[in-house]
Amino acid sequence: MSDKKTRQLFSAQCRFVTSVPEGLELPNIAFPEIAFWGRSNCGKSSLLNRLTAQKNLARTSNTPGRTQMLNFFNLADRISLVDMPGYGFTSAASMRDTFLALNQHYLASRSNLRLVCLLIDARRGIMDIDQQALALLSETGNATLIVVTKQDSITKQARDMLHDNITKQLATIPNALPELFFTSARKNMGLDGLQKRLALLLK
């Protein structure tokens, strides 16, 4: 897809479709689907809003763990975007179990799911809990793209070290794509390249 068509795609109308809690049936959607997942407070909702040029598409909050359902969005009647509940924040064991069951069911059963963007906070790198998410994605066989968020919060030296560290880890994960994207929703950094990569799923 050309740069112009990519810009047109991600500047087109993106609308909320539905939210699905644990126990309810997933919607029947024919479009290729891209899911966004990561540790609570990694900047997932902010990234979704920036990618689609909409300030309030995904709900942002200063309180981690606010996304508690699978939220489905329709981008230009061509792509389904899914905001998954984050992991690693809530202290209630029952809620953690609910989020895990919901995410496991979604990842294992979604036939049109083309890619999972696993978001990693640049300030923290890949933590043990991110490793657990990667292990689950390997079990379910989902193609995984690592997207580093909040890159404006670290120095260039720290960024280079993080890039090398994550690249080495990706080589050991069969379903992880070799590309690595560094982004900042606050500074609007790295989003064009990510949009181009996601648009390739329409080919």
Side-chain angles (χ1 to χ4, degrees):
M1 183 178 290
S2 68
D3 291 353
K4 180 179 179 180
K5 289 184 177 180
T6 297
R7 288 193 297 270
Q8 290 174 342
L9 172 65
F10 283 93
S11 62
Q13 182 185 27
C14 189
R15 59 181 177 81
F16 171 76
V17 177
T18 188
S19 293
V20 179
E22 169 65 12
L24 290 190
E25 186 176 349
L26 297 174
N28 184 14
I29 296 175
F31 309 123
E33 201 153 88
I34 303 170
F36 295 81
W37 197 26
R39 186 177 181 274
S40 295
N41 204 32
C42 69
K44 180 163 50 69
S45 297
S46 295
L47 180 69
L48 270 169
N49 289 339
R50 274 291 193 174
L51 281 175
T52 58
Q54 297 192 43
K55 291 183 178 180
N56 300 306
L57 179 71
R59 183 179 181 185
T60 60
S61 173
N62 290 327
T63 303
R66 291 302 296 268
T67 303
Q68 300 181 6
M69 295 184 284
L70 292 166
N71 295 313
F72 291 78
F73 303 93
N74 177 319
L75 176 60
D77 286 332
R78 299 191 68 188
I79 298 180
S80 175
L81 304 177
V82 182
D83 187 4
M84 297 175 63
Y87 52 80
F89 175 75
T90 180
S91 59
S94 60
M95 189 156 301
R96 288 199 304 269
D97 292 343
T98 296
F99 289 175
L100 178 59
L102 177 62
N103 287 331
Q104 281 181 320
H105 172 63
Y106 170 72
L107 292 171
S109 64
R110 201 66 175 164
S111 61
N112 62 324
L113 178 58
R114 299 286 184 83
L115 183 68
V116 177
C117 293
L118 188 68
L119 276 54
I120 302 297
D121 189 326
R123 302 168 301 177
R124 294 174 173 82
I126 294 183
M127 303 174 68
D128 288 344
I129 197 161
D130 299 309
Q131 295 284 9
Q132 295 173 30
L134 284 167
L136 176 58
L137 288 165
S138 292
E139 289 175 14
T140 53
N142 298 108
T144 303
L145 180 69
I146 299 296
V147 179
V148 179
T149 61
K150 306 182 182 182
Q151 73 151 321
D152 59 301
S153 301
I154 60 174
T155 64
K156 183 182 183 301
Q157 182 180 13
R159 179 192 183 280
D160 292 343
M161 291 178 61
L162 182 59
H163 182 279
D164 292 344
N165 180 43
I166 295 178
T167 299
K168 290 177 183 177
Q169 294 188 58
L170 290 182
T172 66
I173 303 170
N175 58 309
L177 301 182
E179 301 103 322
L180 179 60
F181 289 88
F182 278 77
T183 67
S184 168
R186 188 167 70 92
K187 295 289 188 178
N188 201 27
M189 300 166 66
L191 300 182
D192 289 347
L194 181 56
Q195 288 173 337
K196 291 176 186 177
R197 181 61 184 85
L198 299 181
L200 290 177
L201 297 175
L202 294 179
K203 287 188 174 181

